[in-house]
Amino acid sequence: MRPRLGAPALVWAAALIALSFLTLAVCGHQLSPRNPDTQDLLLGASGPAPGHWLGTDELGRDILSRLMAATGSALAGPFVVALAAMIAGTTLGLTAGYRGGLVDAIISRFADLVWSLPGLLVAIVVIGVLQGGTWLSVAVIAFLSIPHATRQTRSATLGQVRLPYVAAARTLGLARSRVIVRHILPNIRATVLTTLLLDFVTAILIFAALAFLRIGVEPGAPNWGSMLADGQSLITVNPFQMAAPAVAIVLFAASVTILGDWAHDTLTKDQQ
């Protein structure tokens, strides 16, 4: 997502931060100064020093290297969740908003039912009981994220269905799928994109929370949530073990949220 030349400085900063994290997500292992899994038990937990700019954890592993290597897993799962929720939720929301009647009632009641569930608690119980890994976490969180996309898309679709161009398309006898895909969907793209980015950010926070609780992650694998948990007992020895992943989560979540707001405003203005 490339900001226009007239975009505020805050948007450019958010884009730069987001791009940096995406680069780390792809090349984090290659760019990390040390092997994130290499242990130095003699060194153990220590504060920042030359060669270990953010210090080391209780096993002597380099915090900076583990932070960089964990970026891929921290963003990949949430992105798949957001993409799956967008596809399913947008399809259901468009169908419900355009068809109305019984179809709308069934889809809306499904969305309301899933939306009423305590998402994080359900994820903890299901993933914990089944002892699932990353892909089960993705499936569960994606399912729980569908109602948000469905409700947002349905609301936007209802606003479009009342407009004259939809009535004209129906009068001309255009196929329902063509009206939805070729005419309504482009006009609600701002809502779809914003919902995708918001679900992405929410999924990042949920994955970090699950990893903090040691749910759905492989033991020893670099992970922002696990690093937060590991750093609790060592906060007086090396506070960067907790601070680094916390700052990473906040920075990326904030940058994506800013870009989402900017994109929504820009796309909405373009349609006016």
Side-chain angles (χ1 to χ4, degrees):
M1 184 184 303
R2 182 181 178 183
R4 295 177 178 179
L5 292 177
L10 182 62
V11 175
W12 282 101
L16 180 61
I17 292 172
L19 181 61
S20 300
F21 276 101
L22 292 176
T23 301
L24 288 178
V26 177
C27 308
H29 278 277
Q30 291 75 18
L31 296 176
S32 58
R34 296 175 178 271
N35 187 325
D37 297 320
T38 299
Q39 302 179 8
D40 187 348
L41 298 178
L42 295 178
L43 179 61
S46 62
H52 298 287
W53 300 109
L54 294 180
T56 56
D57 62 12
E58 69 279 5
L59 297 178
R61 297 173 297 191
D62 186 59
I63 297 296
L64 177 59
S65 299
R66 291 183 65 77
L67 182 73
M68 296 171 66
T71 307
S73 61
L75 303 187
F79 179 75
V80 175
V81 166
L83 186 62
M86 181 197 71
I87 294 173
T90 300
T91 302
L92 291 174
L94 283 167
T95 303
Y98 185 83
R99 292 288 298 272
L102 181 61
V103 173
D104 182 23
I106 293 173
I107 294 176
S108 296
R109 296 298 78 75
F110 161 76
D112 292 342
L113 175 63
V114 180
W115 182 262
S116 65
L117 298 174
L120 183 58
L121 180 59
V122 171
I124 291 173
V125 171
V126 173
I127 300 169
V129 169
L130 298 180
Q131 297 182 348
T134 301
W135 290 112
L136 178 60
S137 301
V138 167
V140 172
I141 300 171
F143 176 77
L144 294 171
S145 301
I146 289 175
H148 178 243
T150 301
R151 290 157 65 102
Q152 295 295 324
T153 306
R154 175 183 176 275
S155 178
T157 302
L158 288 174
Q160 295 294 316
V161 167
R162 302 186 183 98
L163 298 180
Y165 79 89
V166 175
R170 286 171 170 171
T171 302
L172 292 173
L174 297 181
R176 183 184 300 125
S177 59
R178 182 176 180 181
V179 176
I180 292 175
V181 176
R182 296 284 299 275
H183 299 283
I184 296 179
L185 182 58
N187 286 325
I188 64 170
R189 64 184 186 275
T191 298
V192 173
L193 177 60
T194 305
T195 303
L196 168 69
L197 295 178
L198 182 58
D199 286 341
F200 182 33
V201 171
T202 303
I204 290 174
L205 300 178
I206 293 176
F207 269 84
L210 291 174
F212 183 84
L213 298 173
R214 314 291 188 184
I215 297 175
V217 294
E218 298 180 7
N223 186 285
W224 288 352
S226 299
M227 292 175 67
L228 282 169
D230 293 337
Q232 278 187 303
S233 60
L234 300 172
I235 191 169
T236 57
V237 178
N238 183 14
F240 287 97
Q241 186 168 349
M242 283 193 69
V247 170
I249 293 171
V250 171
L251 273 179
F252 185 75
S255 64
V256 172
T257 302
I258 291 170
L259 289 175
D261 289 342
W262 174 83
H264 182 273
D265 293 343
T266 302
L267 292 175
T268 301
K269 289 178 182 177
D270 289 344
Q271 291 175 354
Q272 294 176 351

